[in-house]
Each structure stands twice: as C-alpha cells, then as structure tokens.
Amino acid sequence: MSHSIKIKNALISVYYKDGLEPLVRLLAQQGVQLFSTGGTEQFIKDLNLPVTAVEDLTGYPSILGGRVKTLHPKVFGGILNRRNLNDDKAQIEQYEIPEIDLVIVDLYPFEETVKGGGSETDIIEKIDIGGISLIRAAAKNFNDVVILASKDDYATLQTQLEEQNGETTLAQRKAYAKKAFHTSSHYDTAIFNYFNNEEPLNVFKQSINTAQTLRYGENPHQQGVFYGNLDEMFTKLNGKELSYNNLVDVDAAVALIDEFQEPTVAILKHTNACGLASRPTILNAWIDALACDPVSAFGGVLIANREIDLATATEINKLFFEVLIAPSYQPEAVELFKAKKNRVILQRNDVELSNKQFKTLLNGVIEQDKDLVIEGPEQMTAVTEKTATAQELKDLFFANKIVKHTKSNTIVFVKNDCLIASGVGQTSRVDALKQAIVKAEAFGFSLQGAVMASDAFFPFPDCVEIAADAGITAVLQPGGSIKDADSVNKANEKGIAMVTTGVRHFKH
C-alpha cells in the first residue's frame, strides 16, 4: 500500500534558513499549521505567515540558554504517535497533542565549528540535542511522518506536495527517513571522532557525506565509488572523469611531490615514480624527469609543485599522459592542453589531508598513521671508513624520499637531484637492485658517482658488492640486520660510503 498521508501540522526549526521560504509558503497555502521556535519562528513571521510558537504548545519557554526548547511530550508525542493504534490516538486526544505530520529540522554546525578552530566551549555548544532527537523520532515514525533533515530536500518535497495535493507516499517518507538516519549517524560520528583524539578507544568510525560513482573499479568488471569531495581537492581544468586507477595514482603523486620544496616534477606509473627531478626551473625539471624512463612515462600521471608555463606545457604536450597536476597554470598552457579533450588537467587546491590511512582487509579494516617521517643528512649515521660527500648526502636524502613512496622491495639510484633508475616491487632486494641497474643502462645513464637507497636493511652483503661494482659511491639503508657488519665490511672493502638512518620505509 502507498499509505498516503496529508500534512496537517508541521514543526520547523532550522539553523540555516536559505532555500526554506518557497516550501514554507506552500505549506501555508495548503492550510498546514506551522509550529516553530526561535529564529525560525521569526523567519516565518517575517514572511507574514501564521505560525505557533512551540512554547505556546508546550506551556514551557525555551530554557537553559536555548538548550531545551522542543524536548516535551506535546512535541514528541505529536511526532511519535502511531495513527493506526487506538491507544496512541486516545492518549494524544487526552493530552491535547496535535499530530505532527512533517518535521523540518537541521543540526547545529558541529563539524564546521571544529574545522574553523572554535574553542572547546563553542564546539560543545554545537552538539545538537533537540534537533537530533527530532530527526530520530520523525524518522522512526516514517510510517506517518515526513522528516526533512537537509535543505537539499526542500525542493523535492515541494514538488511532491504540489503534484500530490499536499500528500506523501509511504515510499517517499521512508526515503526521507533513510536520509535522516544518515544525517544523524554522520553527525554522531563527527562528534565521537572529536572526543576520540586523546587516549582513543580502539574502534573504527568513519563517515563521508559526498560520493562520486566511477566508471568502474580497478578493472571494468568491478564497480567503483570514490567517497570524498574531489572538487575541494582539485579544480579540473580539462578532461574526462578520473578513474579508480587514476585516483590511486593521483594520491601517490600528491604524497610524493609534497616531499620536495625545490621546483620538482614527478612522473608516476602504477603509484611508483618512473621519473623525478628537482631543478632551478620547472621546465628543466620536466626534461630531466622524462629522461629517466620515457618508455614508462607514456600514459603516466604527472605532477609538479610549481606553475606550468607555456614553454613547459609545450614540452609536456609531446607526451601522451593521463593526468597532470600542478598548483597553477598559465592560461596559454591550459588552452594548449585542451586540444585533447580527454586529458585530465588538475589544479591542486590547498586542502589539509588526513594523517591516517585505512583499507579493508579480510573481515575487517586496518588503520595506521601515515608515514610522515623522512630522514635527512642530520639523521644519517656514517658507518664506513669512507664518509659521504656533501653532494652524496644531498642525493641520498633525495633518494630516501623516493624510496619512501615506492613499492617494496625497492632500490633507488640518484645523481644530482635526479632519479636515475629504480627497482620496485620485487620479492628479492637483489632482484630490485639488478632491475634498477638494467633500467639505468637501458636509458644510457652511467652509475659512476651515483648513490643508492634501500627501503630496508641488507641481510647479506651481496647488494653492496653489486652496487659498488656498478659504480655506486654511497649507500643509504636503515640498518638493523644482525648481519649489518657484513654489509659495512663489504662497503669498506669496495671503498664506498654507507650511512644508516634507523628508520625503515616499507610500502606494501
């Protein structure tokens, strides 16, 4: 059964009034009695529409600085009574409680107050009590009551009431209830996570209000959805919608580029850097980053930490790529890129990112702190007879940043603030090293005078020996193996420098 009901009485109490006027006027035109409180009551009066104060209904004024306004049986009885139960009907008649068929209510801006840096007192006062109770009560009784907990639904209800002569169907009320329970759940999650910062309980709660359906997931037979606000993160200047795989690569690109302060360009493929260089100009950074591995760069995700000018855009435009990210672009550069409509051009906005990471696993979720640690020359301990030069220490720092953002097992070669080659995602560190050597040779790079960084310790001295024989002059590793001395002795034998950091950067 559709179980249509006609709205006779409505309770309206909202923090935000924008968009409310047309709906309120329609309700008044359809003969609905309006009950309201505080600012909303005055808003309705200013429209020259009849409205009854909730305190006139309950016989109690708003008290405790507005903390208690609607918490009364004459309000909640009117919402929660079941129209098909004779006992409920008898009781509301006995206590002269009007049946409230529509509740329009929103919640105090708790998240906005936290985000805006409000004081603890301000934040606590933005924990809504009456509003959240009204939402739950009306949503629970969706069989007889319409609940609007978001201004986004004003126009929808208005259309329904216009087309259905002031009535709603059961399916419509149930749909509004679902949205309302989402509103209350999201609100409570935000409050809990605010309180759960210090000495946190071991529980996992996340709630994201916005979502974007993707063309598909990792593969065409998988469905995919992004939960979050991409428009807050990026301004899209050109191109198609980002895919699941694009988003994974973009996330890796943003994390990597944030390690560098000098003009830098990185090229990523399957979340790993296949080209990266820091130079005095962004154009030179692009040229040297591309030279690292122009084959893998085809179809990659590109990111820069400086404005893309026309000269740089002209060079980038020679390559087929999926996504380009930069903090800004010259207008002429954007026009050049727009010649190919599917290429995604993103301007990155200044958005604070979470320091937590989580993903589903087995029958649950794993969560961890982001790896926000990076060891510079000051944290590098010399362990060999030969010490690294100032340039080698600088290159080791550069290499360590790349290692941190590359799939394990990984080996990275760097020379003069430029990625030479890397071996990524191998089951053996020796295989990762050999892969990196082959890549460097394939693109004409000499490893003489280059440095090497490893994401984890060397259990055997073989990597040190192979690297030294290839021309590497300095090595960085976290240390911590029971056989560290073997690797150090091999480095001394080969006459190369080695430093340890004490910090491992596995990336699975």
Side-chain angles (χ1 to χ4, degrees), residues 214-225 244:
L214 305 174
R215 296 195 302 276
Y216 51 80
E218 204 163 5
N219 298 289
H221 63 276
Q222 297 169 265
Q223 293 183 342
V225 179
Y244 180 100

Side-chain angles (χ1 to χ4, degrees), residues 22-224:
L23 180 56
V24 172
R25 288 193 181 279
L26 176 64
L27 292 170
Q29 289 169 10
Q30 293 185 339
V32 176
Q33 181 174 3
L34 305 179
F35 296 92
S36 191
T37 64
T40 309
E41 178 191 349
Q42 187 60 51
F43 173 84
I44 297 172
K45 286 180 177 179
D46 289 344
L47 297 177
N48 294 317
L49 299 175
V51 60
T52 300
V54 166
E55 62 186 50
D56 291 337
L57 171 64
T58 64
Y60 281 87
S62 172
I63 62 173
L64 306 182
R67 281 189 166 194
V68 180
K69 294 191 288 274
T70 58
L71 297 170
H72 192 279
K74 282 207 170 183
V75 174
F76 282 87
I79 296 170
L80 285 165
N81 79 90
R82 291 154 291 187
R83 277 56 162 178
N84 63 337
L85 293 186
N86 290 332
D87 286 348
D88 283 12
K89 186 175 181 179
Q91 285 185 323
I92 66 166
E93 288 177 353
Q94 177 184 356
Y95 296 109
E96 299 179 342
I97 299 174
E99 290 181 344
I100 296 176
D101 314 297
L102 167 64
V103 175
I104 303 176
V105 63
D106 60 11
L107 300 170
Y108 294 152
F110 178 85
E111 286 182 280
E112 293 85 344
T113 305
V114 173
K115 191 173 182 180
S119 67
E120 184 175 55
T121 299
D122 289 339
I123 290 170
I124 297 304
E125 285 307 309
K126 292 301 186 294
I127 298 177
D128 207 313
I129 304 301
I132 203 78
S133 302
L134 290 169
I135 287 173
R136 291 180 65 85
K140 176 177 180 176
N141 204 24
F142 68 85
N143 194 64
D144 299 305
V145 179
V146 180
I147 171 62
L148 255 62
S150 170
K151 61 183 179 181
D152 295 338
D153 292 325
Y154 292 171
T156 302
L157 179 62
Q158 182 175 343
T159 298
Q160 291 168 349
L161 295 180
E162 288 171 342
E163 294 177 350
Q164 297 163 193
N165 193 30
E167 295 185 347
T168 60
T169 67
L170 178 60
Q172 290 166 348
R173 295 191 297 279
K174 193 169 185 178
Y176 287 128
K178 177 171 65 175
K179 291 183 178 181
F181 281 125
H182 162 65
T183 296
S184 64
S185 172
H186 178 83
Y187 195 75
D188 284 340
T189 298
I191 293 170
F192 169 77
N193 285 333
Y194 169 78
F195 279 94
N196 203 40
N197 277 327
E198 298 179 9
E199 299 182 9
L201 301 176
N202 286 326
V203 296
F204 181 81
K205 291 182 186 292
Q206 291 290 332
S207 179
I208 300 175
N209 262 332
T210 54
Q212 177 180 327
T213 300
L214 305 174
R215 296 195 302 276
Y216 51 80
E218 204 163 5
N219 298 289
H221 63 276
Q222 297 169 265
Q223 293 183 342

Side-chain angles (χ1 to χ4, degrees), residues 234-253:
F234 302 107
T235 300
K236 189 170 72 171
L237 305 178
N238 187 67
K240 60 187 178 181
E241 294 300 320
L242 290 168
S243 70
Y244 180 100
N245 292 331
N246 287 157
L247 288 169
V248 174
D249 283 331
V250 166
D251 176 69

Side-chain angles (χ1 to χ4, degrees), residues 377-388 393 475 488 497-501:
E378 297 81 7
Q379 290 78 42
M380 297 176 190
T381 301
V383 293
T384 49
E385 296 166 359
K386 182 178 181 181
T387 57
L393 287 172
V475 176
V488 173
M498 179 182 288
V499 300
T500 59
T501 63

Side-chain angles (χ1 to χ4, degrees), residues 255-304:
L256 175 60
I257 203 70
D258 284 351
E259 299 284 0
F260 299 89
Q261 284 71 51
E262 309 83 359
T264 302
V265 172
I267 306 169
L268 287 88
K269 201 71 171 289
H270 305 305
T271 74
N272 296 308
C274 58
L276 197 153
S278 294
R279 293 292 182 261
T281 69
I282 208 69
L283 174 58
N284 289 335
W286 163 252
I287 291 170
D288 289 347
L290 179 62
C292 176
D293 185 350
V295 175
S296 295
F298 183 86
V301 169
L302 322 177
I303 190 165

Side-chain angles (χ1 to χ4, degrees), residues 392 395-396 412-416 418 420 446-452 467 470-475 496:
E392 286 173 337
D395 282 343
L396 287 171
V412 168
F413 295 149
V414 164
K415 183 190 284 186
N416 297 326
C418 184
I420 300 298
S446 170
L447 293 178
Q448 297 298 320
V451 304
M452 178 178 84
I472 296 298
T473 57
V475 176
I496 66 174

